Amino acid sequence: MARTDEGTTLGYEQARDELIEVVRRLEAGGTSLEDSLALWERGEELAKVCRRWLEGARARLDASLADESPEEDGGGADAPLT
């Protein structure tokens, strides 16, 4: 999915956890303007990673639900027995 500066792939949970830490550090304050901007940029990157994971999950769910169409011949589980 998304790659870090070291070339490793970030999973959703990893990106989310790091994003939480970035937000915590920004909210705590006490960092220089340059450090704050770097944190903000990293947070934006991590938010994009999370968004891509969630969009991919949504697409997979939508595809799965689209595949679950009712039986065409009426012989489904709810059809009356004759």
Side-chain angles (χ1 to χ4, degrees):
M1 180 59 65
R3 300 214 173 258
T4 63
D5 293 338
E6 299 84 31
T8 58
T9 302
L10 274 180
Y12 172 78
E13 290 80 6
Q14 292 168 310
R16 181 201 60 211
D17 291 346
E18 187 178 342
L19 180 56
I20 290 168
E21 179 61 20
V22 165
V23 170
R24 187 197 63 73
R25 289 178 62 194
L26 285 169
E27 288 177 340
T31 58
S32 69
L33 177 59
E34 190 64 32
D35 288 343
S36 293
L37 287 173
L39 284 169
W40 180 270
E41 290 170 344
R42 181 61 179 160
E44 288 291 326
E45 291 173 16
L46 293 165
K48 287 178 187 176
V49 170
C50 290
R51 192 174 309 115
R52 280 192 297 252
W53 273 106
L54 292 172
E55 288 169 354
R58 174 48 109 185
R60 288 174 60 190
L61 286 171
D62 289 345
S64 178
L65 292 173
D67 288 344
E68 294 180 7
S69 58
E71 299 260 345
E72 297 286 329
D73 63 356
D78 294 332
L81 298 174
T82 54

